[in-house]
Amino acid sequence: MAASDMLADTFATADDLLLGTLPGRITKPAPTRIVVIGCGHVGLVMAAGFAELGHDVVGIDRDEALVKELRAGTVRIRETGLPELVAKGLASGRLAFDTRYAPAISRAQFIFLAVDTPQTMAGAADLRNIRSATRSIAENLNGTSPILVNKSTSPIGTGETIEEILGRGMTEVHRSPRIVSNPEFLRQGRAVDDFFHPDRIVVGSRSPEDAQAVADLYKPLVAPVLVTDLRSAEMIKYVSNSFLATRISFINEIARLCEQLGIDIDTIVEGVAHDPRIGPHFFQPGIGYGGSCLPKDVAALRFIGETLGVSTPVLSGVQQVNDIQRTSAVRRLRARLGSLEGKVIGVWGLTFKGGTEDTRESPSMDVVHLLQNDGAVIQAYDPAVIADPELVPAGHRRLLAQTAVEAARGADALVILTDWNDFRHVPLGEVRSVMRGNVLFDGRGVLDRRDVEANDFAYLGVGRVSTAQRRRRTDT
Ligand SMILES: NC(=O)c1ccc[n+]([C@@H]2O[C@H](COP(=O)([O-])OP(=O)(O)OC[C@H]3O[C@@H](n4cnc5c(N)ncnc54)[C@H](O)[C@@H]3O)[C@@H](O)[C@H]2O)c1
């Protein structure tokens, strides 16, 4: 083979992957035909990522409008590098989208399930999408026996459920479903980078060969690979998310203690997080965790415990503290402003965290509802929501301000509910000058307390104490 041909068959550089630090020139894996069911936050990143790695990928979603947009290269979700990656995949012919199962399924070697598994009223994970997608796969196998890989976060034993549904749809000759659990650990807002730089790849299966085959799809990527049985892989995902939630609730509980003691939580976190056994991540106090993963995954693990008769007081406490963080924010505003009836509250941030468009299970939305229940008038600004007002329920759209300063205009108090970086750059003097009152509640520790106070605000923070509180502490 000529040297130029060999080069054409390699990834040129890490920059070619838009992202970063893949080492040198890496031989492409053998192209494989992959189908990804569900083209949302997880599925779309994975589909575009695998196409970039050289595989032929078809993303299937039942949402016709979404598929139409994706075929035109329009990406709904806010992920750095994703529109470029999707455009590149489409242009290369290695990435396609469909609403139909039939054409792609019978040709697929690997089928990934990346459908949503929301929380039921009882707290369990809702498996209806997994079941219906698996049935649709089974109906379209046409005698083939691809490896079915579950990416969706789903309770321990789901792999066996999938196996059963798929087995029923297979011919006698091929009645041995090949199931692998490959949980996803991406962080929204950084999902593309996380795809190309995973911290680990977990693959669980009855068949170590099938698990390894799935791990090999990621081959050019550098990450530890952990091959487990099906149930262990499923459990690893729940334990990861529940532990992250536990860290957040733990530091939030400590933050409320610090508020009463007049001690600054940031100093405590720093003093503690230097211990390598503890570390700094997921250790920032605020109004609590949210989003489409942590709340439902903690609830689902608790539910699993209940069905097994195993009590889970730690998980119950984690949820309880998370609820308290929301109500505590409102209680503190009430204590400062008196009755909230008719008070104008400027709100910065509606998404569940900065850098994403996602408002699912957003703590900010919960606090907004609590404030409205108390009769407050809300003026909200969020960088992602203003770009796409459809992200919030219709009733909330008339409350949207066009800029951060506009949200503060005439307000009795300003509350920061999402950790958008943009908020650090808003001129605080201007914000203060357009407000009626002077209270600023920083529910995410976004701003420096000293800057806030230097601009004539009365500061309230989660575990972060104002100068006045410090003085009271030294007076006693
Ligand atoms: N969002 C995250 O950060 C994240 C991280 C790790 C794991 N997960 C897990 O990954 C799974 C997917 O999450 P998501 O955030 O991507 O969800 P999502 O809601 O963004 O996307 C799910 C997509 O699946 C499609 N879908 C549902 N049922 C279908 C079916 N039967 N056939 C075809 N399409 C179908 C929906 O239309 C939707 O577009 C969940 O189990 C979640 O817990 C999510």
Side-chain angles (χ1 to χ4, degrees):
M1 188 190 287
S4 57
D5 289 339
M6 283 173 68
L7 275 184
D9 206 33
T10 61
F11 288 122
T13 64
D15 286 348
D16 237 25
L17 294 180
L18 305 162
L19 303 156
T21 55
L22 281 179
R25 291 178 180 277
I26 304 158
T27 307
K28 275 183 190 173
T32 306
R33 290 187 303 278
I34 295 175
V35 167
V36 176
I37 315 278
C39 298
H41 293 79
V42 169
L44 183 58
V45 172
M46 195 183 15
F50 276 136
E52 178 69 16
L53 293 184
H55 303 294
D56 288 322
V57 186
V58 178
I60 295 178
D61 203 291
R62 65 183 175 189
D63 180 337
E64 287 182 18
L66 174 68
V67 168
K68 201 171 164 201
E69 284 168 23
L70 290 173
R71 282 177 164 173
T74 305
V75 174
R76 261 184 212 178
I77 57 178
R78 192 181 177 116
E79 284 294 347
T80 309
L82 189 56
E84 294 85 341
L85 206 61
V86 170
K88 209 173 159 196
L90 289 170
S92 71
R94 288 197 300 269
L95 180 62
F97 298 99
D98 212 327
T99 50
R100 301 161 304 164
Y101 280 67
I105 291 296
S106 59
R107 294 186 65 241
Q109 294 164 279
F110 294 83
I111 302 171
F112 282 79
L113 279 178
V115 297
D116 41 323
T117 47
Q119 187 179 327
T120 63
M121 295 285 276
D126 186 339
L127 293 184
R128 277 177 295 180
N129 290 336
I130 296 230
R131 286 176 189 280
S132 75
T134 309
R135 277 195 294 270
S136 303
I137 293 166
E139 284 160 15
N140 288 285
L141 281 177
N142 256 340
T144 59
S145 184
I147 297 183
L148 201 156
V149 193
N150 185 22
K151 269 270 164 201
S152 299
T153 307
S154 38
I156 293 76
T158 302
E160 290 144 38
T161 306
I162 292 173
E163 198 168 33
E164 194 192 324
I165 299 172
L166 209 57
R168 267 189 261 134
M170 295 180 106
T171 59
E172 287 300 332
V173 199
H174 289 103
R175 206 178 278 279
S176 53
R178 302 163 74 190
I179 315 292
V180 174
S181 167
N182 173 215
E184 178 56 60
F185 302 101
L186 65 76
R187 295 162 292 177
Q188 279 179 237
R190 311 187 50 172
V192 174
D193 194 46
D194 284 346
F195 178 86
F196 289 107
H197 304 98
D199 43 31
R200 78 283 213 195
I201 294 167
V202 176
V203 274
S205 180
R206 285 188 206 284
S207 152
E209 293 77 25
D210 286 349
Q212 191 56 52
V214 173
D216 286 349
L217 295 175
Y218 297 91
K219 204 125 200 204
L221 308 180
V222 181
V225 173
L226 183 66
V227 177
T228 71
D229 59 281
L230 264 175
R231 289 182 162 229
S232 301
E234 292 164 344
M235 187 65 170
I236 284 168
K237 177 62 190 173
Y238 277 110
V239 175
S240 296
N241 274 2
S242 297
F243 186 66
L244 293 174
T246 303
R247 282 180 69 103
I248 294 174
S249 279
F250 174 78
I251 204 63
N252 278 335
E253 186 164 295
I254 299 299
R256 278 183 289 105
L257 279 171
C258 284
E259 283 160 21
Q260 294 306 314
L261 293 165
I263 296 172
D264 200 289
I265 189 71
D266 287 336
T267 315
I268 305 307
V269 167
E270 199 185 346
V272 172
H274 276 298
D275 184 331
R277 293 170 301 177
I278 297 174
H281 302 295
F282 275 70
F283 217 43
Q284 297 304 316
I287 57 166
Y289 62 80
S292 69
C293 291
L294 296 197
K296 82 167 169 57
D297 294 346
V298 173
L301 194 53
R302 257 196 79 187
F303 187 84
I304 290 167
E306 271 168 37
T307 56
L308 295 172
V310 177
S311 67
T312 51
V314 172
L315 296 176
S316 310
V318 167
Q319 288 181 316
Q320 199 187 343
V321 170
N322 204 44
D323 292 342
I324 291 172
Q325 292 313 110
R326 273 87 151 155
T327 48
S328 160
V330 177
R331 184 180 48 73
R332 293 182 64 202
L333 282 167
R334 225 184 280 124
R336 185 57 71 103
L337 298 173
S339 164
L340 295 181
E341 183 62 43
K343 294 270 164 42
V344 178
I345 310 282
V347 169
W348 284 2
L350 293 171
T351 53
F352 87 93
K353 68 174 184 177
T356 176
E357 84 303 335
D358 201 343
T359 53
R360 290 180 289 182
E361 298 295 320
S362 169
S364 322
M365 299 294 277
D366 286 346
V367 171
V368 164
H369 289 144
L370 289 169
L371 290 168
Q372 286 175 320
N373 259 351
D374 268 20
V377 177
I378 303 295
Q379 300 177 165
Y381 170 74
D382 183 285
V385 174
I386 210 63
D388 181 5
E390 302 267 317
L391 291 168
V392 293
H396 286 82
R397 279 178 220 150
R398 64 190 164 77
L399 314 172
L400 292 179
Q402 293 299 311
T403 66
V405 173
E406 281 313 302
R409 189 171 296 281
D412 296 288
L414 176 64
V415 301
I416 303 178
L417 301 179
T418 308
D419 58 346
W420 280 101
N421 234 341
D422 311 35
F423 297 153
R424 297 197 167 89
H425 310 297
V426 185
L428 282 180
E430 190 185 344
V431 174
R432 175 70 188 90
S433 72
V434 300
M435 285 176 60
R436 181 162 64 189
N438 71 339
V439 172
L440 189 152
F441 175 82
D442 186 352
R444 293 294 188 182
V446 169
L447 303 180
D448 185 315
R449 173 186 57 80
R450 283 157 300 210
D451 285 351
V452 174
E453 290 182 335
N455 282 286
D456 189 32
F457 281 103
Y459 179 84
L460 288 175
V462 182
R464 297 170 177 102
V465 292
S466 65
T467 304
Q469 277 174 292
R470 281 159 205 270
R471 280 204 204 101
R472 278 198 296 277
R473 184 187 61 182
T474 45
D475 288 349
T476 53

